[in-house]
Amino acid sequence: MTDQIDQLLSQTGMADEAQVREFLSDLQHTSTSVRPLPSAELSALLVTSPQRSGAHRHGLAITTLIVVGTLGAGATAAAASPDVRAATGQVAQAVIGALLPGTGASPAPATTGPSPTSTPGSSGTASDGHPSPIDHPDSTNHPQPTDHPGESPSNPGGGNADTHSNSGTSHHTDAPNSQPTTPPRHSGASAGS
Amino acid sequence: MVGDKPQRSRDQTVAGRFTVAYNSLSPRVLGYLRSHGVDDPEAVTNEVFLALYQNFENITGGDDGVRTMTFSIAHARLVDHHRARNNRPMSVVFDAEADPRRSPSAEDLATENIGNYGALALLQTLGEEQRETVTLRVIGGLSLDETAHVMSKTVGAIKQLQRRALESLRQSLSQGPTHD
């Protein structure tokens, strides 16, 4: 940062004063050569890995793939039978479950009970009223309110994303009949209908 | 689900920017505090950045804005430190190597080595506001306007302070050690 030294000398009319320039350069160098050790509280706020920003791009790519793939399938399935649409929803769920394990989405929700052909999918027109696992209110990708900011920087894979496995699976019910009949929510993998 | 990602990415951006700011500015803040004789400059540096983080999202002006805010906080901490020390003398174990507040010895002058010790010692010959101006500009890397903002003075006042400070330094440096 010799720019400020140059500006300072210029502003004071001492651009040619070699001794003063040397003094200021030495002062700057010796005063800024020591890096302080952050306290524990401060360390918790600092990002330790540059991979945190990649988590966002990763999620965005997944969403894009799901949307593109589903739209492509949905365009054909629009005029097809509901079974095709259900199968498209299963594909979307499978992709989500494979790429985002913590969301609670699974390709084969064996514990929910409904038959595969009657899987609500993502269209929101479930015939049997059973919400899909990814539509379960508790299996969303919402970060938990209790997530501590301090935990995130230490998690190279992205803080909040890694807590999904806890939120998704812990609330994934095994008792389909105990679930209220709530309208399935749009999961982002819309079939377009 | 989609609505959550912007929040997460925003948090990651804030933390990332804050980390960049810390890595870039913490040595300067430490040097600035140390040059003014703060008793525990590393602890105060931590305080500065914890305070900076509380308001980090609201800082405008990019890197310049972050730097100005950082040294505004550091300056305020320094003022508090001096005020507290003036009101309450503190007895500490004297550490000659860590305390720059003394005149250079004849040996130091004779060696003509304006190293860390000499630079800080020479800085102590300046008035408080002159020293503050020089350290903010040189150690902090602040511009004229930024220094004026931190010190709550006009640009004209800062120009006068830095001119007088450098003139004083030039005189001290030109006198230098005398060889027999």
Side-chain angles (χ1 to χ4, degrees):
Chain A
M1 285 282 286
T2 58
D3 292 345
Q4 291 304 332
I5 293 178
D6 291 336
Q7 288 185 21
L8 177 59
L9 291 169
S10 174
Q11 289 163 1
T12 54
M14 297 189 186
D16 297 331
E17 294 289 338
Q19 261 190 324
V20 177
R21 179 183 294 276
E22 182 183 351
F23 168 81
L24 295 177
S25 297
D26 183 67
L27 175 66
Q28 184 184 75
H29 173 72
T30 55
S31 298
T32 59
S33 59
V34 178
R35 184 172 293 277
L37 193 65
S39 62
E41 186 179 0
L42 190 56
S43 295
L45 303 175
L46 300 173
V47 174
T48 55
S49 166
Q51 296 173 1
R52 281 181 55 82
S53 61
H56 170 62
R57 292 193 296 269
H58 180 63
L60 194 60
I62 294 170
T63 303
T64 303
L65 285 173
I66 293 172
V67 169
V68 170
T70 306
L71 285 175
T76 305
S81 68
D83 289 343
V84 176
R85 291 164 57 194
T88 303
Q90 282 185 332
V91 169
Q93 290 180 36
V95 173
I96 293 172
L99 296 179
L100 293 176
T103 59
S106 67
T111 59
T112 58
S115 62
T117 57
S118 62
T119 303
S122 59
S123 64
T125 58
S127 58
D128 56 5
H130 285 280
S132 64
I134 61 174
D135 294 333
H136 192 285
D138 294 323
S139 64
T140 63
N141 289 333
H142 289 287
Q144 294 300 312
T146 57
D147 286 347
H148 296 289
E151 296 175 1
S152 300
S154 62
N155 191 341
N160 291 327
D162 293 333
T163 62
H164 294 170
S165 59
N166 297 327
S167 62
T169 57
S170 63
H171 294 281
H172 186 71
T173 180
D174 293 331
N177 294 329
S178 65
Q179 295 305 313
T181 305
T182 58
R185 300 195 308 200
H186 177 61
S187 65
S190 173
S193 61
Chain B
M1 182 173 79
V2 175
D4 297 329
K5 289 188 176 157
Q7 175 64 38
R8 271 196 291 144
S9 65
R10 186 163 60 244
D11 292 341
Q12 292 170 352
T13 301
V14 169
R17 286 175 51 226
F18 177 75
T19 301
V20 170
Y22 176 81
N23 290 336
S24 169
L25 297 174
S26 61
R28 294 182 177 275
V29 172
L30 178 66
Y32 165 77
L33 295 170
R34 184 169 285 156
S35 69
H36 287 274
V38 173
D39 296 325
D40 191 350
E42 200 160 272
V44 179
T45 300
N46 282 320
E47 291 177 16
V48 168
F49 282 93
L50 286 173
L52 179 70
Y53 185 82
Q54 298 301 319
N55 205 32
F56 196 76
E57 281 190 85
N58 301 325
I59 297 175
T60 58
D63 292 343
D64 293 343
V66 172
R67 184 171 54 246
T68 302
M69 175 62 75
T70 302
F71 279 93
S72 291
I73 298 173
H75 174 76
R77 289 288 192 274
L78 181 63
V79 170
D80 292 342
H81 168 83
H82 286 322
R83 189 175 298 146
R85 194 161 62 180
N86 289 338
N87 292 336
R88 181 172 43 98
M90 185 166 30
S91 53
V92 296
V93 176
F94 177 70
D95 184 357
E97 292 183 2
D99 189 353
R101 295 171 297 169
R102 58 177 178 172
S103 300
S105 67
E107 179 183 359
D108 293 322
L109 291 175
T111 58
E112 295 184 356
N113 180 20
I114 307 298
N116 182 26
Y117 174 82
L120 290 178
L122 202 56
L123 213 56
Q124 302 306 314
T125 63
L126 300 176
E128 184 176 338
E129 288 190 331
Q130 291 179 4
R131 182 168 62 248
E132 178 79 8
T133 302
V134 171
T135 54
L136 284 173
R137 298 261 2 231
V138 175
I139 300 177
L142 271 65
S143 67
L144 188 60
D145 291 341
E146 292 166 352
T147 302
H149 177 83
V150 169
M151 293 181 66
S152 300
K153 293 186 177 294
T154 63
V155 170
I158 298 299
K159 281 184 176 178
Q160 196 172 45
L161 282 169
Q162 64 184 23
R163 181 175 53 81
R164 290 176 178 175
L166 263 57
E167 282 179 358
S168 178
L169 290 172
R170 181 177 60 178
Q171 277 187 353
S172 299
L173 290 168
S174 63
Q175 290 169 1
T178 57
H179 296 284
D180 292 331

